[in-house]
Amino acid sequence: MALRTSNLQTGILRNDENGPRKVSTKVLQGPILRRAALGDMGNRAVPFKGPTVPVKPDFLKQSLVSRAVAARQLSSQIRKETKENEVKEPTENVENMDVQEAKVEELAIAFSSQLLNVEDIDAQDHSNPQLVSEYVNEIYKYLRELEDRCPVKNAYLEGQVINGKMRLILIDWLIQVHSRFTLLQETLFLTVSIIDRFLQVERTIPRNKLQLVGVTAMFIASKYEEMYCPEIGDFSYITDKAYTKTDIKRMEIQMLKKLQFNVSYPLPLHFLRRNSKAGSVDATQHTLAKYLMELCLLEYSMVHFKPSIIAAAALCLSLKLSDGSDWNNTLIYYSRYTEEQLIPVMAKMASVVVKSYTMKQQAVRLKYKASKYMKISDIPQLKSKIIQTLAEKSSLT
């Protein structure tokens, strides 16, 4: 996607958009009343209709009183209609409460950041057009809206033939296929996202078609992310000819229809690059966070977590394991999560790390044992007391 840049460079929210705004006010006017005694006055010529009758003071006083009474009746009627509308539409106000609370929370975070020691990480990026520092605020705001708009539900496979263990075996095999094809990491994360969102909607997939769903999802993700996408025959070959090219094409049509052609989806990698830039982390810390996120792809009980909180929790745990760094104000501001909010997700991640040493599916650990990934899966910190303590807080078995 367009968000992928090199050297962990992305954009940031700036404080200048949170400044005060001028609010234009409108003066509410009452009803325009006709002049009962003097008639309409204006520049238009009025034909003469006879001699003017002198107006008595009692008549003027009476007209003023009648106008005041009419205005009072009109205002009371408007007040009554307003109360009736408020009684008739309580549900609409209740529905808008969540939106208003979200806006208030966002403004509170923005204005509180002015009082905290938050670093502007985009201050030096204005001269680089690839970092789109002018639009990065809107980009990440849209990504957060998109992950709220297309969530993956918790335990979405309940009631289906396919279960979490089958999904685990499929994802582990797709990670091996991904490494064999030397595809981008975005392709892998998008593949898993497509699988989860499709199986959440299409609940009648038999188990003998699950592998077809997996290779088709990777085929769609490759066409979306890769510059040189593998051919459809390669995906048929990787299944040992269990599925033909026609089978993959038909499944592709079915999946795209069920997804309503919404292939684009925010990935944890997008938010991780942003957070890594905010935290000024080194390559080892960033790679460790990627390893933790990729382990979470296998865990069915974590599919409902948002990509943004997965990325923030992975980086927070990586910092604690590497040098014990704190989740400072700059990271809080750019990730939109405090350390207290990340602790439950970090506990589940720690439990996944503990399980990874004994489970049969070892594709992720073997992948990150390579020198290309700094042999990050073999570092002793992954067996430290921090992991053990956090794992005990998790409900995973």
Side-chain angles (χ1 to χ4, degrees), residues 52-72:
T52 305
V53 180
V55 181
K56 297 180 181 181
D58 294 340
F59 185 77
L60 286 174
K61 183 178 180 181
Q62 182 181 0
S63 63
L64 292 173
V65 172
S66 61
R67 282 190 295 167
V69 172
R72 195 178 297 112

Side-chain angles (χ1 to χ4, degrees), residues 312-376:
L315 184 60
C316 185
L317 184 55
S318 174
L319 293 176
K320 288 187 176 300
L321 292 176
S322 58
D323 56 6
S325 301
D326 294 328
W327 194 251
N328 55 36
N329 294 331
T330 303
L331 286 166
I332 292 174
Y333 177 68
Y334 293 126
S335 67
R336 292 293 187 261
Y337 294 105
T338 62
E339 186 172 345
E340 288 75 15
Q341 293 173 310
L342 299 177
I343 287 178
V345 186
M346 291 166 58
K348 290 184 177 294
M349 282 185 177
S351 180
V352 171
V353 171
V354 174
K355 287 172 57 179
S356 66
Y357 291 101
T358 57
M359 63 191 305
K360 295 180 179 180
Q361 291 72 27
Q362 295 288 314
V364 179
R365 290 194 67 248
L366 292 176
K367 174 182 176 180
Y368 279 85
K369 277 186 176 182
S371 57
K372 175 183 178 181
Y373 297 102
M374 304 177 183
K375 300 180 179 180
I376 206 71

Side-chain angles (χ1 to χ4, degrees), residues 258-298:
K258 288 294 181 179
L259 294 175
Q260 298 180 351
F261 292 85
N262 291 326
V263 178
S264 178
Y265 188 75
L267 306 176
L269 283 173
H270 300 154
F271 296 101
L272 178 63
R273 293 193 181 104
R274 180 71 162 168
N275 298 338
S276 296
K277 183 177 181 180
S280 301
V281 303
D282 55 27
T284 304
Q285 294 168 333
H286 182 77
T287 305
L288 178 56
K290 287 196 297 184
Y291 172 63
L292 295 173
M293 292 193 313
E294 203 158 324
L295 281 177
C296 293
L297 291 178
L298 301 169

